[in-house]
Amino acid sequence: MKDLYIFNNGRLKRKDSTIYFILEDGTKKVVPIEQVENLHIFSEMEFNTSFINLLNQKDVFLHFYNYYGFYSGSYIPRKKKVSGFVDVKQAEHVLNPALRMYLAQQLVYSAIHHILRNMRRHKEEVGELIEEILEFKKQVSKAKDIPTLMGIEGKVRLAYYQGLNAMIKNKDFYFEKREKRPPRDPINALVSFGNSLMYTAVLSEIYKTQLNPAISFLHEPGSRRFSLALDLAEIFKPLITDNLIFSLVNKRSIQKKHFELIEDEICLLNETGRKIFIQEFENRMSTTIKHRKLNRQTSYRFLIRLECYKLIKHLIGDEDYRALKAWW
């Protein structure tokens, strides 16, 4: 067990080196803290500083989701893997336009590769959109600045979303356009929820390396967000989250009954739907593939950390960064 998801209201209490989850009716359950890396809280929860101190000792991350099930913030233990040298090099690669552009382009190339990988499974239906995206891909190397590059990436996403209905074989679900705040239909709800899970997964892996999660290359570094997690999530959203959505919807594991409409305009997964999605997300993250360079089985989750290691090697001048492009 690496990730534990809590949906019931209650209290998390520490006694010595043991964590108890106490439900509102007084029922007490032991939380296997030694086996947990991430605690995801989808409910109202009480805890104290003693509990937080144990999370620090055990390097357990605490992620919070709001009433609508979307990511709202994290409690991160004190970072133990720090490197002033890597911090300086990371900052240099943001401040130097050419160095930053190279890394940002690599991230966009990877995202486009995985988007096209998804679409080519339905090339008869979305062939024209594939050609359109290939033309946008040619523009990536010509981008003169980050806003232009982000604009190209946005056009790729728009074309990709136009083809979603051809990739979704369940006629109970229809996608019109991407709407984030708030999601207004089931597919938007699934995309937003999946992106929240992917963001926290990427953030957790970044913290296991010397990278600074606030210093990013494609997204603009700013206050109050871990923008490097947004950068790396661009690689893995089409590879993992989108494919998971297609599978859940097309196999009818997720159905209309797993959604609820709030205030007649906000569409959300209900608790049952979230649990189904999370279970399949964890299954997908633990799925392994034979890594052609390491020559061993590697989980999808560990691929995220490998991407961090590759970035570090690039920053310190050991090896040029080539963003992941799925070969399997």
Side-chain angles (χ1 to χ4, degrees):
M1 180 189 299
K2 288 191 174 183
D3 287 61
L4 182 63
Y5 298 81
I6 297 179
F7 292 90
N8 301 102
N9 295 341
R11 183 158 50 101
L12 285 164
K13 181 180 180 181
R14 171 186 177 181
K15 185 176 182 181
D16 299 323
S17 294
T18 303
I19 295 294
Y20 294 98
F21 174 41
I22 304 172
L23 280 71
E24 290 181 321
D25 63 4
T27 304
K28 185 184 294 185
K29 297 182 179 179
V30 175
V31 176
I33 203 68
E34 296 286 351
Q35 304 172 35
V36 174
E37 290 185 3
N38 296 279
L39 270 172
H40 301 263
I41 308 297
F42 287 86
S43 56
E44 294 186 11
M45 190 63 55
E46 297 179 10
F47 44 80
N48 56 26
T49 54
S50 177
F51 166 74
I52 294 295
N53 287 334
L54 186 60
L55 294 190
N56 276 325
Q57 293 173 26
K58 304 297 183 181
D59 287 329
V60 177
F61 294 65
L62 192 60
H63 305 292
F64 299 97
Y65 300 80
N66 62 23
Y67 171 77
Y68 302 112
F70 301 132
Y71 174 78
S72 59
S74 297
Y75 171 77
I76 308 294
R78 180 176 58 86
K79 190 170 172 63
K80 295 181 173 64
K81 291 188 177 181
V82 295
S83 169
F85 181 65
V86 172
D87 276 354
V88 169
K89 290 297 181 182
Q90 210 172 332
E92 282 181 359
H93 280 70
V94 173
L95 295 173
N96 184 308
L99 297 179
R100 179 179 179 183
M101 179 59 74
Y102 173 81
L103 290 172
Q105 287 171 332
Q106 281 296 307
L107 295 167
V108 172
Y109 277 132
S110 176
I112 293 175
H113 175 86
H114 294 130
I115 283 172
L116 289 172
R117 182 174 180 265
N118 292 345
M119 298 180 76
R120 283 177 177 134
R121 296 181 182 133
H122 310 271
K123 58 184 178 182
E124 290 185 4
E125 298 99 326
V126 296
E128 291 185 6
L129 292 171
I130 289 174
E131 293 302 318
E132 187 176 335
I133 290 174
L134 287 172
E135 289 301 314
F136 291 138
K137 183 180 179 182
K138 294 176 183 177
Q139 300 174 20
V140 171
S141 62
K142 302 174 184 176
K144 301 298 184 183
D145 51 43
I146 297 298
T148 301
L149 183 61
M150 289 288 284
I152 296 168
E153 193 267 346
K155 292 175 183 177
V156 170
R157 290 275 176 189
L158 183 60
Y160 177 47
Y161 288 139
Q162 288 173 0
L164 282 194
N165 287 321
M167 294 183 272
I168 296 169
K169 304 303 182 181
N170 186 340
K171 298 305 179 184
D172 289 340
F173 292 82
Y174 179 78
F175 179 82
E176 187 172 341
K177 63 179 180 178
R178 181 73 177 109
E179 294 178 303
K180 302 178 184 179
R181 301 181 182 87
R184 300 182 187 276
D185 60 71
I187 297 299
N188 271 298
L190 288 168
V191 171
S192 293
F193 187 69
N195 287 351
S196 289
L197 296 182
M198 182 53 63
Y199 176 83
T200 58
V202 172
L203 179 60
S204 298
E205 294 304 313
I206 290 173
Y207 257 85
K208 295 169 186 171
T209 73
Q210 292 85 8
L211 288 171
N212 186 322
I215 302 176
S216 54
F217 309 103
L218 179 60
H219 294 83
E220 197 64 32
S223 59
R224 296 180 296 177
R225 70 174 185 173
F226 299 118
S227 47
L228 184 60
L230 296 174
D231 276 7
L232 292 179
E234 294 295 331
I235 295 172
F236 295 98
K237 287 188 296 186
L239 175 62
I240 299 175
T241 311
D242 293 355
N243 274 316
L244 177 59
I245 292 170
F246 299 148
S247 175
L248 288 170
V249 172
N250 290 339
K251 293 179 179 178
R252 301 183 184 273
S253 300
I254 289 284
Q255 302 175 26
K256 283 289 188 70
K257 67 181 181 181
H258 295 127
F259 298 86
E260 57 184 280
L261 199 61
I262 307 295
E263 299 172 358
D264 296 327
E265 59 178 9
I266 305 173
C267 184
L268 304 171
L269 274 167
N270 59 27
E271 185 175 321
T272 302
R274 291 175 197 170
K275 288 180 178 179
I276 293 171
F277 193 105
I278 287 168
Q279 181 63 56
E280 291 305 311
F281 179 80
E282 288 299 318
N283 290 342
R284 191 66 59 97
M285 293 294 278
S286 61
T287 298
T288 60
I289 53 98
K290 182 70 173 291
H291 198 286
R292 59 185 179 185
K293 189 172 182 180
L294 299 179
N295 197 31
R296 63 179 174 85
Q297 292 297 120
T298 304
S299 70
Y300 276 66
R301 188 180 296 276
F302 193 66
L303 285 175
I304 300 173
R305 200 182 318 174
L306 287 177
E307 213 61 20
C308 296
Y309 292 151
K310 285 159 57 181
L311 264 177
I312 291 171
K313 285 184 177 182
H314 177 89
L315 296 173
I316 64 178
D318 278 359
E319 185 178 328
D320 287 346
Y321 177 65
R322 295 287 188 272
L324 176 69
K325 292 180 181 178
W327 62 88
W328 58 92

